Amino acid sequence: MNMTLNRLPSITWYWLKMNNGSLEGVDPAGEVSVKEEIPSQITAETLRLEDLPEQATGMGKDMTALVRTSGVPVHSYATAENQQADGVLRLGYAFQHEARSVNAVSLRAAKHSSLTVVQDFSSVRDAEGFAAAQTRYLVEEGAVLKLIQIERLGSGYTFLNDIGGRVENSGRVELIHLVLDGGHTYLGVQTDLAGYKSALKADIGYRVGGDHTLDINYFANHTGKKTTCDINARGVLRDHARKVFRGTIDLKKGSSGSVGNEKEDVLMMDDTVRNQTLPVILCTEEDVVGNHGATIGRLDESVLFYLQSRGMDREAVYEMMADARVASVVHLIEDGRTRAEVERYLGGISDSNEE
Amino acid sequence: MAEKTYVADIDRSMYDFRYDEKDAYRIEEGLSPEIVEQISKEKNDPQWMHDFRMKSLEIYNHTQMPDWGPSIEGLNMKNIATYVRPNTKMANDWDSVPEEIKDTFERLGIPQAERKSLAGVGAQYDSELVYHNVQDFAEKLGVVYSDIESALHGPYADMIREHFMKLVPPTDHKFAALHGAVWSGGSFVYVPEGVHLEIPLQSYFRLNAKGAGQFEHTLIIVEDNAYLHFIEGCSAPKYNVANLHAGCVELFVGKNSTIRYSTIENWSKNMYNLNTKRAKVEEGGKIEWVSGSFGSHVSYLYPMSVLAGRGASSEFTGVTFAGKGQNLDTGCKVVHNAPDTTSVVNTRSISKGGGISTFRSAVVINPQAKNSKSSTSCQSLMLDSESRSDTIPAMDVKTQQADVGHEAKIGRISDEAVFYLMSRGLPEDDARALIVSGFADNVGKELPLEYAVEMNNLIRLEMKGTNG
């Protein structure tokens, strides 16, 4: 099938070629088996997509159609009310060379519970293939969901990572995405901040090199009163990499007292990269605040000068600052095991799924 | 809960007067090859312009309507008369202009402004210029300021042909193609090398006819090491049918030259304002856009700067005020095509009474634009929850050797600021009104005094409110 992905909620000029991504000839064949580590307090079951409530996702309708037509089951994980899970739900996806897979996950943090999930998408370094994962979540009243996603796929992989969720009264979702490797990566996230004082905190760290691409669509949909979102993206582009970041804060009528913040900081390491950034604020409510900011390009000259005066050469300074951007997101991961694994990977040692 | 200050709509009564189309020639409504032929004949076009119009019509017929901006479903070209000629010839003294038309421009303050502070004036009424004059001192400097039709047949004919719709080709979008087919009126300005025209030129466009379109073309060529400030104003009486403005502005800025292009747009609320403006800036040159958008039912307006020469720069300063029944989609585009180029964008928008204001921009840094810098700041103020305010800024950076920054903020009037001003003795009404009017001062301070006063008439003096 041909897919339109990550379409901007409010499109702009076509000549910019930034309104959406697209893929042709997508033809998946079943799901990849998931390596699960499920803490005892978390209930796991298998559902059908039809069993789940309607939920828009960041990547859009074509992605949901792909999940539906592929017929894969939805792996569902939930906490019980008032339960603070004492462990981390770990879901490992090891994609094989030349595989074509679709996976679907549902997460539910019941009232006043907390749930931490790590999704680790990996393959061998040079693997080729296609993978799609859709993750839906529901954060009920007073609950907290922490979702950490790590992407380290082969340079020949096309990966669609789609998320859609809803946060109810006083609920909070914290999302961390680390895009460390991959060929052509699409990340679509929609969070419906529907409940009073519901909150989203999102941190995205990426490094894109070679002739790889990264296409992001992040959408914070504020409908509840006094909702907040903080979206921070930090990344590094090298070689001939190309990246699109579409970030939308939609402060809908009725979302009075809400605040939306969005920021992107892009370091371009080579003169052959291309960065496209489209930070959008849509607003139909008076009593709200929306902010966005972006800085794109090279390092600040004064920073460069200072570090060079301390004996570092220009290239070393850039490498250090590039590492720092990704590391600043890695350090937000509270789970020590995951953080250590990512740091090992970034240091050039991978202990998962090596052949 | 804090009470709200009522912020009035912009008062357009001074613009909302009209005269019958007495003895005017009005072409039949709609758009067809026959109509375009007729316009070309009426304008006494040279053959190349006739062919250009016919080709543009063909492009128009094959180009899609834009679907990314405000709805223009209420605009039906079958109901628009694309050419309305007042029954007068162009004059260079106001006494020779027919009484009703002269009265129109006097009520808009144009002759008075010409006497006080302008180096030249062009006044267009419907599809044709009715008055055009340039002061002797400007003429002596070699400045050419004429209607574009005369220039097409005069000593600058080749220059017009070389530049006409080269920056905005008819293929650019559907309404650029429409403009190419039916354009009429507008101004040609030529500033020779080394000439600094310190006093501005002004064109004023008045669309009086009901159900008509205005398609004036402004072509300005400023040679190297020169300076020009050009002011554009426009207004129309309000009708209960759609009117259309699809003008086109092309500015060529020579090496180390500057053009400041100031616009106070105050079309009536039945107007579809689908205007295109573009500047090409050579080495060391600068384009300064100062733009106030207050009128029209629907606007698509994004002045574009093409920074073509090393060290070229652009500044865009804009304010948009969208009230009841208005959907104003405004902003700008900048394309950095050369090294060491810089662009600065600074805009404010205000939405009230159900009005929709959208800031839309594009900053493109092409690979050859090494050491370029771009900074964009847009702020929006929501005055009620019936209105809408969006910001849609795009940045496309294709070289590492660039510094691009962007910041935007949408919000309401700050309670803290109101409290501070009240603690200094201002009543709440005045405090809120002061904040709102100050919000738009980025444009006001860039305009000549007389025009800043006019803008204040449009905003500040209308903001005396009542709690409620």
Side-chain angles (χ1 to χ4, degrees), chain A residues 23 83 101 114-115 247 260 274 277:
Chain A
L23 271 180
Q83 192 171 64
S101 63
S114 66
L115 171 62
R274 182 171 182 182
T277 296

Side-chain angles (χ1 to χ4, degrees), chain B residues 48-343:
Chain B
W48 73 265
M49 182 59 80
H50 166 272
D51 297 346
F52 185 88
R53 288 182 188 275
M54 302 311 292
K55 181 68 183 168
S56 296
L57 177 65
E58 200 180 307
I59 294 166
Y60 173 85
N61 287 330
H62 292 97
T63 306
Q64 296 289 316
M65 281 283 193
D67 64 353
W68 43 265
S71 169
I72 45 178
E73 281 182 3
L75 176 67
N76 186 346
M77 282 308 296
K78 288 179 183 164
N79 300 329
I80 295 288
T82 51
Y83 183 72
V84 180
R85 186 185 63 222
N87 185 24
T88 180
K89 288 197 182 329
M90 191 178 71
N92 60 4
D93 70 289
W94 284 106
D95 289 339
S96 305
V97 175
E99 200 57 39
E100 289 181 348
I101 296 176
K102 183 179 158 190
D103 180 60
T104 297
F105 287 106
E106 279 189 345
R107 291 171 72 167
L108 295 166
I110 305 304
Q112 299 90 317
E114 182 184 13
R115 284 192 295 273
K116 281 169 61 180
S117 57
L118 296 171
V121 163
Q124 179 158 337
Y125 195 82
D126 295 334
S127 299
E128 293 290 356
L129 278 141
V130 293
Y131 176 85
H132 220 287
N133 189 36
V134 60
Q135 305 282 354
D136 287 347
F137 78 89
E139 223 163 32
K140 282 177 187 162
L141 290 170
V143 173
V144 177
Y145 182 34
S146 79
D147 63 304
I148 204 158
E149 286 88 345
S150 302
L152 260 177
H153 295 283
Y156 292 91
D158 289 344
M159 189 182 278
I160 304 277
R161 184 171 185 178
E162 191 184 327
H163 292 87
F164 187 88
M165 293 201 82
K166 291 295 193 291
L167 269 184
V168 183
T171 47
D172 207 67
H173 58 82
K174 193 170 182 77
F175 292 93
L178 175 66
H179 178 90
V182 300
W183 75 271
S184 177
S187 297
F188 168 64
V189 180
Y190 176 76
V191 180
E193 185 172 351
V195 171
H196 282 238
L197 191 59
E198 302 294 347
I199 301 175
L201 302 176
Q202 181 180 21
S203 282
Y204 199 97
F205 305 105
R206 175 74 176 179
L207 183 53
N208 180 71
K210 184 178 182 180
Q214 195 169 58
F215 306 96
E216 85 286 349
H217 193 93
T218 302
L219 175 60
I220 299 177
I221 299 166
V222 173
E223 298 285 12
D224 298 350
N225 304 304
Y227 177 86
L228 172 69
H229 184 185
F230 193 87
I231 300 171
E232 177 190 71
C234 36
S235 68
K238 188 175 181 189
Y239 293 105
N240 55 2
V241 298
N243 275 30
L244 170 63
H245 176 235
C248 180
V249 174
E250 295 182 291
L251 311 178
F252 292 85
V253 185
K255 287 180 184 173
N256 303 311
S257 290
T258 297
I259 294 181
R260 169 169 280 222
Y261 198 94
S262 303
T263 305
I264 297 292
E265 180 271 299
N266 195 28
W267 294 113
S268 54
K269 286 189 180 178
N270 60 314
M271 182 67 84
Y272 286 81
N273 181 33
L274 313 173
N275 209 10
T276 310
K277 299 179 179 181
R278 198 160 295 171
K280 184 182 181 192
V281 189
E282 303 295 348
E283 186 179 328
K286 185 175 189 184
I287 176 69
E288 301 170 347
W289 302 99
V290 181
S291 180
S293 293
F294 303 100
S296 76
H297 172 51
V298 167
S299 263
Y300 282 64
L301 182 60
Y302 326 97
M304 181 173 184
S305 308
V306 180
L307 304 178
R310 180 184 288 273
S313 63
S314 72
E315 278 183 22
F316 180 86
T317 308
V319 62
T320 297
F321 191 121
K324 184 179 178 185
Q326 293 184 281
N327 191 341
L328 307 185
D329 200 298
T330 61
C332 65
K333 304 178 217 176
V334 187
V335 178
H336 292 249
N337 266 346
D340 304 321
T341 49
T342 58
S343 61

Side-chain angles (χ1 to χ4, degrees), chain A residues 11-14 253 268 270-271 274-277 279 281-287 290 292-294 296 298, chain B residues 4 67-68 360 370-371 385 388-391 393 395-397 399-400 402-404 406 408-410 412:
Chain A
I11 61 171
T12 190
W13 297 297
Y14 289 98
K253 191 172 173 64
M268 298 168 80
D270 293 299
D271 209 25
R274 182 171 182 182
N275 176 79
Q276 295 179 308
T277 296
I281 304 178
L282 310 174
C283 179
T284 44
E285 172 62 50
E286 176 203 10
D287 180 18
H292 62 64
I296 302 157
R298 56 194 167 185
Chain B
K4 286 181 186 170
D67 64 353
W68 43 265
R360 190 183 301 272
K370 308 297 182 206
N371 300 313
S385 283
R388 180 179 184 102
S389 184
D390 296 341
T391 67
M395 288 156 275
D396 190 353
V397 184
T399 174
Q400 180 238 8
D403 300 304
V404 179
H406 175 91
K409 181 178 175 107
I410 288 181
R412 60 186 299 203

Side-chain angles (χ1 to χ4, degrees), chain B residues 406-426:
Chain B
H406 175 91
E407 59 177 28
K409 181 178 175 107
I410 288 181
R412 60 186 299 203
I413 296 175
S414 155
D415 287 339
E416 289 79 10
V418 172
F419 177 77
Y420 174 80
L421 290 171
M422 288 174 71
S423 74
R424 291 287 182 269
L426 266 69

